[in-house]
Amino acid sequence: MGLFDFFSKQKKETLDKGLEKTKESMFSKLSRVIAGKSKVDDDVLDQLEEVLIMSDVGVNTTLKIIERIEKRAAKDKYVDDKELKNLLREEIADLLTENNAVDNDDFSIPEAVTPYVIMVVGVNGVGKTTTIGKLANQFKKAGKSVYLGAADTFRAAAVEQLVIWGERVGVPVIKQAMGSDPASVAFDTLSSAKSNNADIVIIDTAGRLHNKIGLMNELSKIKKVMDKIVPGAPHEVLLVLDGSTGQNAFEQATQFTAATDVTALAITKLDGTAKGGVVIGISDQFKIPVKYIGLGEGIDDLQVFRRREFVNSLFGE
């Protein structure tokens, strides 16, 4: 077995384990729905709809999937349980493809942009700072020089946590005193990164949602300051969502997409929940690519999102 095969197998095992609760919940119910059935009738579709909604796929996305299954099944009339599972797997994978879920080969950035600036947003407690640390680790392992900016200056724990991650990964963290202007931290971070020819800059931001206008103004100010130092920055706005919160993750996505131009999603804590269907629903509803998924507490348990592998793991393939 070659080195590439080993890591591919290791990633698949991590993915399978991380999605185990969702798979057991969603597809044990699905198996009961279609057991012994030879026809996709209204009863099967109604029960399938219930399973998907209970798995936090979301009502609108569930209705899309049911409509697709109904059309496909009408052509063949009769299918067994294995064929119906295959239909469902194909339609979900196709839906993710249509929603700009482009598979990434690995943790990579456009080579032409230096430094490549990622602004990370999300409410407190979703794993935002941890995701930043894990991203920094992956980029460093790929041979990139990384700078982190602690622009969540309203929460002492956020700055401290980012500093700990910086020390753990071995990358510099730029910070200021508590209560400092977040845009000032971003300015210092990009200035330092640029002068040291860094490849990647990741900026943490405050996770407050009680005042959407205030959040919007703050993020806009940070973006304007960064653009002055590195034209076009930020090149990516990554929204981190906690997959275990189910429908609440939809609300957070609604709030943040209204406050700033989110370009990519990271969905965390999928290993601790049976609500992994939220990945499908959020991708469909917001038409924003899911770029990363969090599958555990380990430093290497953040994976790039690959739609086919994700769906295959859900179905136990």
Side-chain angles (χ1 to χ4, degrees), residues 164-186:
I164 290 170
W165 269 107
E167 292 172 350
R168 182 179 180 185
V169 176
V171 299
V173 178
I174 307 301
K175 63 175 184 173
Q176 292 184 9
M178 278 294 301
S180 299
D181 182 4
S184 177
V185 177

Side-chain angles (χ1 to χ4, degrees), residues 303-316:
Q303 287 192 8
V304 294
F305 179 69
R306 297 178 177 88
R307 62 192 184 280
R308 295 284 176 185
E309 290 180 12
F310 177 85
V311 175
N312 285 341
S313 283
L314 276 184
F315 282 83

Side-chain angles (χ1 to χ4, degrees), residues 33-291:
V33 168
I34 62 180
K37 298 283 187 178
S38 60
K39 180 180 179 181
V40 181
D41 54 19
D42 289 342
D43 180 55
V44 170
L45 291 173
D46 287 344
Q47 292 186 62
L48 178 57
E49 180 180 319
E50 183 179 343
V51 169
L52 292 173
I53 290 174
M54 291 298 291
S55 300
D56 283 276
V57 172
V59 174
N60 292 334
T61 303
T62 292
L63 292 177
K64 282 186 184 179
I65 294 171
I66 294 298
E67 183 179 358
R68 286 167 174 253
I69 294 293
E70 191 172 17
K71 288 179 178 178
R72 288 278 301 273
K75 296 177 183 178
D76 301 323
K77 297 298 182 183
Y78 295 93
V79 295
D80 59 24
D81 57 349
K82 183 178 180 180
E83 288 172 340
L84 182 55
K85 281 186 177 181
N86 286 337
L87 272 181
L88 187 58
R89 182 179 68 239
E90 289 170 10
E91 292 303 330
I92 290 174
D94 288 346
L95 190 67
L96 288 170
T97 302
E98 292 166 14
N99 295 327
N100 302 315
V102 178
D103 286 355
N104 297 292
D105 291 333
D106 218 322
F107 292 88
S108 58
I109 57 169
E111 295 293 337
V113 182
T114 306
Y116 186 78
V117 181
I118 304 170
M119 183 170 78
V120 182
V121 300
V123 300
N124 297 330
V126 297
K128 180 164 53 75
T129 308
T130 298
T131 297
I132 291 172
K134 291 180 179 181
L135 267 179
N137 176 63
Q138 293 291 350
F139 286 136
K140 187 181 179 188
K141 283 169 63 176
K144 303 296 183 182
S145 56
V146 184
Y147 271 64
L148 304 181
D152 184 355
T153 59
F154 295 93
R155 194 168 63 94
V159 176
E160 293 169 2
Q161 187 182 8
L162 196 66
V163 169
I164 290 170
W165 269 107
E167 292 172 350
R168 182 179 180 185
V169 176
V171 299
V173 178
I174 307 301
K175 63 175 184 173
Q176 292 184 9
M178 278 294 301
S180 299
D181 182 4
S184 177
V185 177
F187 178 91
D188 286 353
T189 306
L190 265 66
S191 297
S192 182
K194 190 174 181 180
S195 64
N196 286 283
N197 297 314
D199 298 307
I200 300 170
V201 176
I202 308 177
I203 302 291
D204 192 9
T205 63
R208 300 165 299 154
L209 264 184
H210 64 274
N211 184 340
K212 188 169 70 177
I213 299 300
L215 175 68
M216 187 182 300
N217 291 339
E218 182 177 297
L219 294 178
S220 295
K221 183 179 178 182
I222 293 172
K223 289 170 75 173
K224 287 178 182 177
V225 166
M226 291 196 290
D227 183 59
K228 291 179 180 178
I229 306 300
V230 178
H235 307 103
E236 182 176 308
V237 178
L238 180 68
L239 171 60
V240 181
L241 299 169
D242 179 350
S244 69
T245 62
Q247 291 302 299
N248 191 39
F250 281 84
E251 179 59 27
Q252 292 172 24
T254 299
Q255 296 289 327
F256 274 98
T257 52
T260 191
D261 296 322
V262 177
T263 61
L265 301 172
I267 301 182
T268 66
K269 306 183 184 181
L270 291 175
D271 58 305
T273 182
K275 299 179 178 181
V278 73
V279 174
I280 302 162
I282 286 179
S283 171
D284 176 55
Q285 182 170 323
F286 295 95
K287 303 297 186 286
I288 299 170
V290 177
K291 197 167 186 180

